[in-house]
């Protein structure tokens, strides 16, 4: 269920066998979801959602009653109506800080009255601990219907390159170079309507991380089916027309530092990306969050390079424009982290 028609269309394109409802969840009933998804009265294993919440300013009232938190209330309502065995709730780390923490406690108690236990303590997970070359922290709540075994949070799988390991036994996770090093520079090739098509011999040697995203072997597809796609076509690679002055500033910025004029972060080849953000939608001025500067090139990274740093496979297609494509990535949970969480729910089931 997605209110933005651009995002809904992209999801339908990439997952053609999945029901997509291009509307708000406000006023959408569990019964309507069952009908639109064609699942009838079958039991539901899990409800997953990341509703935005913005209202923390009403004094003396439950913050869940703030109109700006209506989508969170709708999420709780749909969990009640759909009665899944489990649910997964995703949100920003800020929900755990300051006054917002009281709202989080309120939310946990509301789930309790709906008949669900929350895995305690709740956790903020960093995607960089789950094989993603990006520092990205998000809150996840895992809930189980009363009487069912609680799932577990996935244990960290990778240490963050360039930082103190969380455990000595963990292997280092992928770096920015691992994610981008095999990709040809999109600026060197003529652009087609659906991407650029470099010659096969200009692709670099792929790391294990990049090979998986290129769908190099059967294991790379996990539980998904193989898509029909052209791996030689570099999609979502529209270039940005930087001025010569900007390029000189980008080139002079050391990796891992922020360029002082644009405030763009330059990727460290042997480290991880900063948090990729979505920017704002047209209702709030259509501000595009800055894309990082490539570690080896004097330009900002493309949408496809953002996707690599987020853990999206190369077959996945985003909207053709840089603005929409970057928003789709910045709003998404990195697929490797999503897969780690889903695996724990599957284990509980």
């Amino acid at each position: 269920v997605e209110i933005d028609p651009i995002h809904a269309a992209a999801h339908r394109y990439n997952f053609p066998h999945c029901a997509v409802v291009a509307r708000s969840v406000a006023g959408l009933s569990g019964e309507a979801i069952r009908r639109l998804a064609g699942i009838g009265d079958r039991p539901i294993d899990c409800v997953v959602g990341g509703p935005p919440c913005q209202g923390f300013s009403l004094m003396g009232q439950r913050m869940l009653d703030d109109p700006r938190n209506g989508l969170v209330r709708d999420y709780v309502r749909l969990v009640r109506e759909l009665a899944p065995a489990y649910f997964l709730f995703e949100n920003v780390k800020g929900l755990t800080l300051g006054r917002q923490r009281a709202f989080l406690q309120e939310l946990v108690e509301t789930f309790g009255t709906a008949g669900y236990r929350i895995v305690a303590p709740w956790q903020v997970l960093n995607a960089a601990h789950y094989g993603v070359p990006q520092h990205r922290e998000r809150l996840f709540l895992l809930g189980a219907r009363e009487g069912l075994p609680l799932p577990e949070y996935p244990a960290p799988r990778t240490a963050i390159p360039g930082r103190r390991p969380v455990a000595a036994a963990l292997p280092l996770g992928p770096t920015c170079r691992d994610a981008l090093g095999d990709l040809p520079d999109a600026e060197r090739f003529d652009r087609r309507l659906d991407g650029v098509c470099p010659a096969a011999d200009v692709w670099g040697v792929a790391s294990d991380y990049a090979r998986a995203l290129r769908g190099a072997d059967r294991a790379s597809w996990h539980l998904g089916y193989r898509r029909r796609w052209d791996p030689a076509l570099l999609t979502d690679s529209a270039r940005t027309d930087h001025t010569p002055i900007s390029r000189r500033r980008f080139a002079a910025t050391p990796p891992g530092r922020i360029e002082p004029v644009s405030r763009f972060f330059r990727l460290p080849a042997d480290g991880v990306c900063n948090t990729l953000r979505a920017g704002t939608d047209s209702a709030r001025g259509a501000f595009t969050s800055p894309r990082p500067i490539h570690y080896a090139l004097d330009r900002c990274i493309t949408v496809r390079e953002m996707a690599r740093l987020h853990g999206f496979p190369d077959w996945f297609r985003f909207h053709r424009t840089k603005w929409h494509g970057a928003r789709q990535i910045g709003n998404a949970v990195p697929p490797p982290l999503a897969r780690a969480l889903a695996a724990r729910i599957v284990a509980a089931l």
Side-chain angles (χ1 to χ4, degrees):
V1 180
E2 168 58 56
I3 193 173
D4 187 316
I6 298 293
H7 298 345
H11 195 281
R12 184 183 293 278
Y13 180 88
N14 286 283
F15 302 104
H17 305 301
C18 175
V20 178
V21 183
R23 55 165 290 185
S24 172
V25 296
L28 183 67
S29 68
E31 180 183 359
I33 287 178
R34 286 180 172 277
R35 183 179 69 255
L36 293 167
I39 58 176
D41 60 357
R42 282 181 288 167
I44 293 174
D45 292 320
C46 189
V47 169
V48 181
C53 50
Q54 301 163 320
F56 304 107
S57 61
L58 296 183
M59 298 297 291
Q61 298 186 42
R62 278 168 42 90
M63 285 182 277
L64 203 55
D65 293 333
D66 188 320
R68 291 170 294 178
N69 291 330
L71 293 177
V72 179
R73 289 200 308 274
D74 280 313
Y75 178 84
V76 177
R77 174 181 60 79
L78 287 171
V79 168
R80 286 181 186 268
E81 294 179 10
L82 293 170
Y86 295 93
F87 73 80
L88 173 61
F89 173 91
E90 177 265 346
N91 225 287
V92 295
K93 180 184 177 182
L95 205 60
T96 69
L97 307 173
R99 277 200 74 219
Q100 291 91 317
R101 192 173 177 121
F103 173 74
L104 177 56
Q105 183 57 38
E106 209 173 278
L107 182 61
V108 170
E109 292 170 358
T110 302
F111 279 124
T113 63
Y116 286 84
R117 294 184 297 151
I118 302 291
V119 179
W122 41 256
Q123 290 188 26
V124 171
L125 304 182
N126 189 340
H129 288 150
Y130 299 89
V132 180
Q134 180 188 161
H135 175 81
R136 186 184 187 88
E137 295 180 307
R138 290 294 184 269
L139 166 70
F140 295 92
L141 297 182
L142 297 173
R145 199 166 58 220
E146 289 286 354
L148 295 178
L150 286 171
E152 299 175 353
Y153 281 97
R157 298 178 179 178
T158 53
I160 304 176
R163 304 190 184 191
R164 180 183 299 174
V166 291
L170 290 179
L172 283 178
T175 64
C176 293
R177 182 188 283 114
D178 291 332
L180 308 182
D182 65 308
L183 294 178
D185 181 5
E187 292 191 320
R188 294 175 52 196
F189 306 95
D190 291 333
R191 183 185 173 205
R192 287 176 19 183
L193 189 62
D194 53 354
V196 297
C197 199
D201 60 356
V202 300
W203 288 72
V205 177
S207 66
D208 290 342
Y209 175 83
R211 279 179 52 81
L213 297 187
R214 287 169 69 167
D217 52 45
R218 186 175 182 84
S220 304
W221 295 85
H222 302 282
L223 298 178
Y225 62 90
R226 285 180 178 268
R227 265 57 173 193
R228 293 191 299 272
W229 67 299
D230 180 2
L233 184 67
L234 195 61
T235 60
D236 300 297
S237 295
R239 63 194 63 180
T240 300
D241 293 326
H242 299 299
T243 66
I245 293 175
S246 294
R247 289 185 183 273
R248 286 197 293 271
R249 291 203 313 265
F250 293 168
T253 304
R257 304 292 292 273
I258 293 176
E259 196 281 308
V261 176
S262 65
R263 306 299 297 168
F264 294 175
F265 176 77
R266 188 161 200 194
L267 297 174
D270 295 318
V272 298
C273 179
N274 59 331
T275 303
L276 296 174
R277 303 186 184 279
T280 60
D281 57 23
S282 57
R284 289 175 286 175
F287 172 73
T288 301
S289 284
R291 286 171 287 134
I293 304 167
H294 197 284
Y295 61 84
L297 303 170
D298 56 357
R299 61 166 175 81
C300 290
I301 60 174
T302 64
V303 170
R304 174 55 55 195
E305 289 163 343
M306 287 181 69
R308 279 287 189 94
L309 293 165
H310 214 74
F312 276 100
D314 288 357
W315 59 260
F316 197 97
R317 299 292 292 273
F318 302 90
H319 191 271
R320 185 176 297 151
T321 67
K322 294 193 295 289
W323 186 73
H324 281 304
R327 283 188 64 223
Q328 289 170 347
I329 294 168
N331 275 328
V333 172
L337 174 55
R339 187 161 54 244
L341 284 157
R344 301 317 305 157
I345 294 173
V346 169
L349 285 163

